[in-house]
């Protein structure tokens, strides 16, 4: 399963072999044995590259779960084991930028044997990653409508509307009617809140433009391209008061809890437990 997963992720036997510190012939042979035992082709061969088949894609979901369970079982047999191995963390981009640098640096000093892997994305994408065993934990925006996940509140963010520096005060959506909304891609809770603020007032925004980074959104807001929703923590840390203008919003829109989530059925994960402890309110 580990060989299959590596080949699927690398798209190449050569790269997978290098990643696993194995010879290519061993990786190829094990992959062929797996396909023969299952009676299906897991990859389409195209020159030197490999493209996963529909059957391979289905198996990959099980591989993640099986490997997760194997690691958990091994850790459970050593209850006094110190946190080690990889910890796959998901986080919203603004959370990763504003909240995690100090936390991750301190965690790395305390647990140097844990290999931290960070993935950023919108809430819905991160939740899917945890549910599919692709991520061990994730920092996402509440609410989290998944009963199979443990949910622990770790931060409360104040969201503010940001505009260009010369914009008049904004008190209602009418003050920014027909302005373009600059947002993260679909699946972002902050985006949903901004769109809901307009919809509840029956005010139509202008064009909705999607961006991949909060820096791009802030830069375009400063240039007068539109308005956006952003955590005040980001604005304060980067001292952006001269390039943009912030406008307070009603608490129902502005206040949002950031939750640390993980699967309930993954019972024993020392690195995850240590990371959760590092985010506890007392810390």
């Amino acid at each position: 399963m580990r060989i299959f997963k590596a080949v699927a992720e690398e798209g190449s036997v050569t790269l997978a072999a290098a990643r696993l510190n194995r010879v290519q012939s061993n990786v190829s042979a094990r992959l062929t044995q797996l396909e023969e035992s299952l009676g299906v082709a897991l990859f389409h061969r195209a020159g030197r590259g490999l493209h996963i088949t529909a059957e391979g894609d289905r198996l990959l979901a099980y591989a993640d779960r099986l490997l997760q369970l194997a690691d958990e079982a091994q850790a459970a047999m050593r209850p006094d084991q110190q946190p080690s191995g990889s910890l796959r963390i998901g986080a919203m981009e603004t959370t990763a930028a504003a909240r995690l640098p100090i936390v991750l640096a301190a965690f790395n000093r305390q647990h140097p044997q844990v290999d931290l892997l960070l993935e950023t994305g919108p809430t819905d994408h991160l939740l899917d990653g945890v549910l599919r065993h692709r991520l061990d934990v994730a920092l996402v925006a509440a609410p989290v409508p998944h009963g199979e996940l443990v949910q622990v509140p770790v931060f409360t963010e104040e969201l503010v509307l940001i505009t260009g520096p010369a914009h008049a005060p904004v008190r209602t959506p009418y003050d920014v009617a027909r302005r373009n909304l600059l947002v993260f891609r679909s699946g972002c809770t902050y985006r949903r809140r901004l769109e809901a603020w307009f919809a509840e007032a029956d005010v139509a925004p202008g064009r909705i433009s999607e961006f991949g980074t909060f820096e791009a959104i802030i830069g375009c807001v400063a240039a007068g391209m539109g308005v956006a929703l952003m955590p005040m923590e980001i604005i304060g840390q980067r001292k952006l008061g001269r390039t943009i203008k912030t406008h307070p919003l009603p608490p129902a829109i502005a206040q949002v809890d950031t939750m640390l989530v993980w699967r309930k059925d993954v019972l024993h994960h020392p690195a995850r437990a240590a990371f959760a402890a590092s985010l506890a309110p007392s810390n």
Side-chain angles (χ1 to χ4, degrees):
M1 284 297 104
R2 292 191 193 279
I3 290 174
F4 163 68
K5 187 173 187 294
V7 173
E9 291 175 347
E10 299 291 348
S12 161
V13 169
T14 302
L15 294 176
R19 172 172 153 184
L20 298 169
N21 294 315
R22 291 172 176 262
V23 296
Q24 287 182 237
S25 58
N26 177 263
V27 172
S28 295
R30 296 293 293 274
L31 192 60
T32 298
Q33 289 172 2
L34 180 60
E35 289 180 315
E36 289 176 351
S37 68
L38 294 173
V40 296
L42 300 174
F43 295 95
H44 296 296
R45 273 69 173 175
R48 295 184 178 181
L50 295 176
H51 302 284
I52 196 165
T53 64
E55 292 79 8
D57 201 45
R58 284 199 298 273
L59 180 62
L60 187 59
Y62 286 103
D64 286 336
R65 291 163 61 186
L66 288 168
L67 292 172
Q68 175 78 50
L69 191 59
D71 290 342
E72 182 187 351
Q74 191 173 43
M77 295 301 100
R78 298 192 298 271
D80 297 329
Q81 178 191 23
Q82 292 298 311
S84 62
S86 65
L87 180 65
R88 302 164 298 174
I89 304 169
M92 296 176 290
E93 187 183 337
T94 52
T95 302
R99 302 287 189 175
L100 286 187
I102 293 176
V103 171
L104 294 181
F107 184 88
N108 187 60
R109 287 193 300 270
Q110 188 173 4
H111 304 289
Q113 64 275 38
V114 176
D115 183 18
L116 295 174
L117 306 172
L118 179 63
E119 176 180 328
T120 62
T123 286
D124 289 0
H125 171 78
L126 299 174
L127 288 173
D128 183 69
V130 175
L131 290 168
R132 292 178 179 270
H133 297 268
R134 186 169 46 82
L135 296 170
D136 299 310
V137 294
L139 289 154
V140 300
V144 179
H146 295 286
E148 58 268 58
L149 299 180
V150 176
Q151 306 178 35
V152 179
V154 288
F155 308 120
T156 297
E157 300 289 5
E158 178 191 0
L159 305 181
V160 292
L161 188 77
I162 59 174
T163 67
H167 201 285
V170 177
R171 296 181 179 85
T172 72
Y174 295 98
D175 298 323
V176 283
R178 302 294 176 183
R179 296 301 307 275
N180 294 335
L181 302 187
L182 312 183
V183 297
F184 290 109
R185 68 181 188 267
S186 181
C188 172
T189 298
Y190 297 170
R191 171 180 177 168
R192 284 196 287 264
R193 288 195 173 211
L194 182 58
E195 292 175 339
W197 188 56
F198 276 83
E200 288 168 4
D202 198 24
V203 172
R207 186 173 63 252
I208 296 178
S209 300
E210 294 186 357
F211 293 82
T213 67
F214 72 88
E215 291 98 337
I217 292 176
I218 291 172
C220 290
V221 168
M225 286 181 57
V227 303
L229 205 60
M230 200 64 58
M232 189 64 194
E233 186 73 18
I234 284 283
I235 308 303
Q237 285 188 6
R238 281 156 179 74
K239 300 179 181 178
L240 298 170
R242 293 185 179 180
T243 58
I244 61 171
K245 190 172 184 178
T246 63
H247 308 266
L249 294 167
I253 300 294
Q255 300 296 316
V256 57
D257 289 331
T258 299
M259 315 294 287
L260 182 68
V261 302
W262 65 84
R263 290 190 62 101
K264 289 180 178 178
D265 57 1
V266 179
L267 302 179
H268 190 79
H269 196 306
R272 182 195 67 197
F275 181 68
S278 76
L279 288 169
S282 59
N283 291 281

